[in-house]
Every structure is written in C-alpha cells, then in structure tokens.
Amino acid sequence: MASEKVETVVAGNCVEMEREEGDPKTAKSKLSRLFWHGGSVYDAWFSCASNQVAQVLLTLPYSFSQLGMVSGIVFQLFYGLLGSWTAYLISVLYVEYRTRKEREKVDFRNHVIQWFEVLDGLLGKHWRNAGLFFNCTFLLFGSVIQLIACASNIYYINDNLDKRTWTYIFGACCATTVFIPSFHNYRIWSFLGLVMTTYTAWYLAIASLIHGQVEGVKHSGPTTMVLYFTGATNILYTFGGHAVTVEIMHAMWKPQKFKMIYLIATLYVLTLTLPSASAVYWAFGDMLLTHSNALSLLPRSGFRDTAVVLMLIHQFITFGFACTPLYFVWEKFIRIHDTKSVFKRALARLPVVIPIWFLAIIFPFFGPINSTVGSLLVSFTVYIIPALAHMLTFASASARENAVERPPSFLGGWTGSYSVNSFVVVWVLIVGFGFGGWASMLNFIRQVDTFGLFTKCYQCPPHKA
C-alpha cells in the first residue's frame, strides 16, 4: 500500500496541512488528485457555490409569487449580503480557534474541526450545546429536503410511481454517501454540481421567456402577511447554506484564504437565482402559489428532462454535503472518528440516514418545509449565533488586541463590526425568526391539514390513465 506523506508548513498564525496520497508520479495518484483529493481555494469555491443554491433554485419562483417581484429581488440581494457576512464571521472564528489550539500543540490531521467545537473552544460548553443542537437539526432537515426534492423532480419524468415510493428509492440511493470520507473527496462532485445548477437556472429562465405569459396571468403578490414572510424566510434559507463552512474550510490546504470565497460564490449564485426566479414568475404569476416546484409548470421536453436529471444528481451531492457533518458528529459520539477504515466508518454512519429517510416520508411538503427550516433553524445556525459568538469572543480588549483576523477597515474596524453584528441579530431575530417563524408554521400547518402526513403524492396533478 502506498505511504502517505504529510507536509506541515507554518504560515502566519495557523498551521497548514497538505496530504499527498501515494507517489505523485503514478497515474493512480494523479487521477486521485484530479478527481478525488481536493483542498484548494477553487475546491472551496465550487463547494460553497454548488451547495448554496441546490433545490431551492426550484422554489424561488414560488417565493416570488408570495413576495412579489420587487420584494423577491430585494430580499435576494439583502440576504445574499447578510449570509456572506456571517460566513466571513464563521471563518474568522474558525481560524481564531484553530490558531489557539495549534499554539497548544494540538494536531488536527486526523480530526475534522466542526462548528460546535469552535464554539466550545472559544465560548464554552453552553455555546457548544446550542451550536450542536441548531446545526445538527438544520442539517438533518436539510437532508430531508433533498430527499423530498428528489421525489418531486423525478415524478415529472416518470409518474408511474407516486412521490412517496420515489422517496423510498432515493433514500436508498442517497445512503451511499456514507462511503465518501470527507469534504476533501467532493472535488469532482462540487464542480459538476455547479454545472448542473447553472444549466437548470438558465433553462428555467430561457424556457419561461420562450413560453411567454400564460393567458390571464396575474401577479398579485404580496397578498397576505403569512405568504409574504413565508417567501422571505425561504430566501433567508437560500443564502443560509453555510452551516458546513467550518468543514469546508478544514478541508482546505490553506484555510486562511477562505475569507472572500463565500461572497464571490454568492455573487455567482445571484446570476442564477435572479434571472430564473424573475422569468418564471413573470410567465406564470399566481399559478406558482399552488406549484412550489417551478419545473411542474413548464411543458415537458428534452431540455426539461435534462434539467430534472441534473437536479436529481445534484440533490444526491447536496444530500452528501448536508449529511457529512452529521456523519462526523456521530463518529465522534461513538468514538470511531479517527479510524482509517472507510468500510467501518460507512457501516457506522448508516443509522444517521434512517431518521432522515423517515422524516422525508412524513413531511413531503416541497417548498413550505424550506421556509419553516429557514425561520426556526437557519436564522439561529448561520445568522444569530455566529454574530453573537463573534461579539462575545472579542469582547475584551486583550482578545481584540491578539485577534488573528481583524475586521475590515472599510467597515470601521471593531466598532463597525459590532454595529453590523448587532443589526444582523436584531433583524433576523425579529423578521426571520419572529415574523418568519409565525408565517412559516401557519403555512406548514395548512399543508398538513390539507394533504395530511405521509401523503403519497404532494401537489400531484390528476394521473392520466
């Protein structure tokens, strides 16, 4: 078996680790580094960009029908900026934690640092418990949403089986992600995932423009407060996909270079979400209120079937992205996280998939579940907790003086940083969690009352004989 060489380089205040598997001159090693063993800035960018939008791309037109065109565009820009800021805060706290630990001679070469550990090291066990609860619950339901989306999409190609049966099938398929060791190994998948969402986004935009507006199209949104804040929290969820930021950073050879990656990824994602959501809403208007999956309104064609297949593959990738941090937590809990056996780790991870599979069958509400998860979980996981944690970590003068990463000068240094963080906490707590939680839960309860739990085929058109 080929040996593993580890090169450790000190750069600034953080140790950078780079692994080269096997002899770099062999064809096998070259292929491994090309397709499998990633850790560059580009790998991190592809991971952030492909993971950020995922299946939400298909529900953003639904959000536009709830919000109206103007509010839909404004909220995308606003939450895109807010999400980029809190992703930056998470990266700062990660580097701070890792630097402090490495000064104490802690070695992370066989250990993946996670968000709850960063909170534990910087702020103590109560913050660790809060981070663990919100992050794991969000990733759990994020994985559930991917399974629901798989069943919703495949139904538009093959309706011989109901959506619940497709959920059973795709649950088994997505369980194979237990064999992917870590985020190092998503190099080719992240690249392909972004290609897939790019194709789907531009297909939605172009197909809607070619289709034109349906007869008697109406653009009534917003009509009620419930719909308005439900749509807003779905967009908050869209740009709150950085619950795996720490794991992506840890997979980088040089995590200090992460700083602007999420912002650049967000700018690219906006070039996909704004044209597609606007075009679909322009073409179909209020019809989207009862069609949360945008693909359901476009006529079947080879291009649409291609978009469906590509999104199915992408949802498999995103399922892996959401589940891998859960796998790590479970491995640490049962004390096998440092084992080198891929097969042993895969077997140990299987119990994580079972509750995800079950929840996707109970709550198959594509669209409404995004808003509910966004308001109740994303609001804390990737907005409120990072902003509060950053303020408390650097509350003392000595902590600010010895900080590894200082706030940008154009924001006004520490004063400006604290002002922005305070705004994020107040806004998301009141608008995202408060109004958004109220609206999303009402909408979700209506779906349960209308369709019931364990529904076989949510929002399915009448089956043609």
Side-chain angles (χ1 to χ4, degrees):
M1 182 179 293
S3 61
E4 179 182 83
K5 180 174 74 176
V6 179
E7 295 181 359
T8 306
V9 183
V10 177
N13 294 311
C14 187
V15 176
E16 300 167 0
M17 295 176 294
E18 181 164 351
R19 289 178 172 83
E20 294 180 6
E21 296 185 343
D23 184 350
K25 294 181 180 179
T26 65
K28 181 179 178 181
S29 181
K30 288 179 180 178
L31 284 174
S32 174
R33 290 175 64 82
L34 181 62
F35 295 111
W36 180 253
H37 198 66
S40 69
V41 170
Y42 301 102
D43 291 311
W45 185 83
F46 280 120
S47 293
C48 289
S50 64
N51 183 54
Q52 187 176 134
V53 62
Q55 50 73 39
V56 182
L57 185 69
L58 305 178
T59 64
L60 283 174
Y62 167 66
S63 297
F64 269 49
S65 69
Q66 297 170 317
L67 288 164
M69 185 75 80
V70 174
S71 290
I73 293 171
V74 169
F75 270 116
Q76 279 203 42
L77 296 172
F78 176 68
Y79 281 127
L81 187 62
L82 235 59
S84 298
W85 171 251
T86 53
Y88 166 74
L89 296 180
I90 292 171
S91 72
V92 168
L93 293 171
Y94 167 85
V95 172
E96 184 72 27
Y97 166 78
R98 181 166 168 176
T99 302
R100 291 184 187 182
K101 287 297 182 182
E102 286 176 347
R103 286 171 181 165
E104 299 170 6
K105 308 301 181 183
V106 178
D107 191 339
F108 292 109
R109 281 175 289 186
N110 291 317
H111 182 94
V112 177
I113 299 172
Q114 294 188 268
W115 178 227
F116 71 91
E117 293 169 317
V118 173
L119 291 172
D120 186 22
L122 297 177
L123 296 171
K125 65 178 184 179
H126 296 302
W127 281 86
R128 175 201 65 196
N129 294 339
L132 191 61
F133 170 77
F134 281 106
N135 213 43
C136 288
T137 309
F138 166 47
L139 291 171
L140 176 75
F141 279 98
S143 304
V144 168
I145 289 168
Q146 300 311 316
L147 285 188
I148 296 170
C150 284
S152 178
N153 289 342
I154 191 63
Y155 187 80
Y156 300 119
I157 289 182
N158 186 336
D159 60 0
N160 293 324
L161 299 176
D162 58 73
K163 291 181 182 179
R164 188 169 69 191
T165 303
W166 281 120
T167 304
Y168 291 134
I169 295 169
F170 279 100
C173 293
C174 288
T176 58
T177 58
V178 298
F179 290 100
I180 302 177
S182 73
F183 284 95
H184 278 298
N185 312 115
Y186 274 96
R187 164 169 280 186
I188 188 64
W189 293 113
S190 297
F191 171 76
L192 291 176
L194 192 58
V195 171
M196 293 166 188
T197 51
T198 300
Y199 171 89
T200 304
W202 286 109
Y203 159 74
L204 288 172
I206 295 169
S208 297
L209 293 174
I210 292 173
H211 181 280
Q213 293 184 312
V214 295
E215 186 177 352
V217 64
K218 293 181 180 179
H219 299 91
S220 304
T223 55
T224 68
M225 292 282 283
V226 170
L227 290 178
Y228 188 81
F229 285 107
T230 300
T233 49
N234 187 40
I235 295 178
L236 177 141
Y237 170 78
T238 303
F239 295 98
H242 43 287
V244 295
T245 297
V246 170
E247 288 84 358
I248 291 173
M249 285 188 71
H250 193 80
M252 294 176 68
W253 306 137
K254 299 178 180 179
Q256 297 92 330
K257 293 187 176 182
F258 184 86
K259 298 176 188 175
M260 299 295 290
I261 286 176
Y262 197 88
L263 174 61
I264 299 170
T266 297
L267 293 176
Y268 179 78
V269 166
L270 286 170
T271 69
L272 306 181
T273 58
L274 287 172
S276 59
S278 301
V280 177
Y281 179 54
W282 170 83
F284 297 101
D286 291 353
M287 289 178 66
L288 287 157
L289 290 170
T290 54
H291 295 78
S292 50
N293 188 331
L295 291 173
S296 65
L297 289 173
L298 289 163
R300 183 168 183 178
S301 66
F303 291 109
R304 194 191 78 160
D305 287 353
T306 301
V308 170
V309 172
L310 291 180
M311 287 306 291
L312 285 172
I313 300 170
H314 186 268
Q315 278 143 8
F316 165 82
I317 298 167
T318 309
F319 182 93
F321 264 97
C323 251
T324 299
L326 295 176
Y327 295 152
F328 292 155
V329 172
W330 179 247
E331 288 170 1
K332 292 170 185 176
F333 179 73
I334 62 175
R335 302 180 185 279
I336 67 153
H337 183 59
D338 58 351
T339 185
K340 293 182 179 179
S341 171
V342 174
F343 186 70
K344 185 178 179 180
R345 290 176 71 184
L347 283 177
R349 290 171 169 188
L350 280 174
V352 177
V353 179
I354 294 171
I356 294 170
W357 207 350
F358 187 64
L359 287 168
I361 294 165
I362 297 177
F363 304 114
F365 309 123
F366 190 77
I369 195 171
N370 290 0
S371 302
T372 306
V373 170
S375 61
L376 302 183
L377 299 173
V378 175
S379 57
F380 282 95
T381 302
V382 295
Y383 291 100
I384 295 172
I385 290 178
L388 285 175
H390 187 266
M391 288 193 286
L392 292 175
T393 298
F394 300 107
S396 67
S398 60
R400 293 194 295 273
E401 181 67 25
N402 297 313
V404 177
E405 179 72 33
R406 296 178 181 277
S409 57
F410 67 85
L411 277 180
W414 290 107
T415 302
S417 172
Y418 270 68
S419 300
V420 174
N421 287 342
S422 300
F423 172 78
V424 170
V425 171
V426 172
W427 175 274
V428 177
L429 190 62
I430 295 174
V431 178
F433 177 73
F435 287 106
W438 162 74
S440 299
M441 285 304 298
L442 279 180
N443 189 40
F444 189 82
I445 291 168
R446 287 174 185 172
Q447 304 300 314
V448 174
D449 289 341
T450 303
F451 296 96
L453 301 177
F454 297 99
T455 183
K456 291 182 68 174
C457 218
Y458 174 68
Q459 287 189 344
C460 291
H463 195 282
K464 297 178 180 179

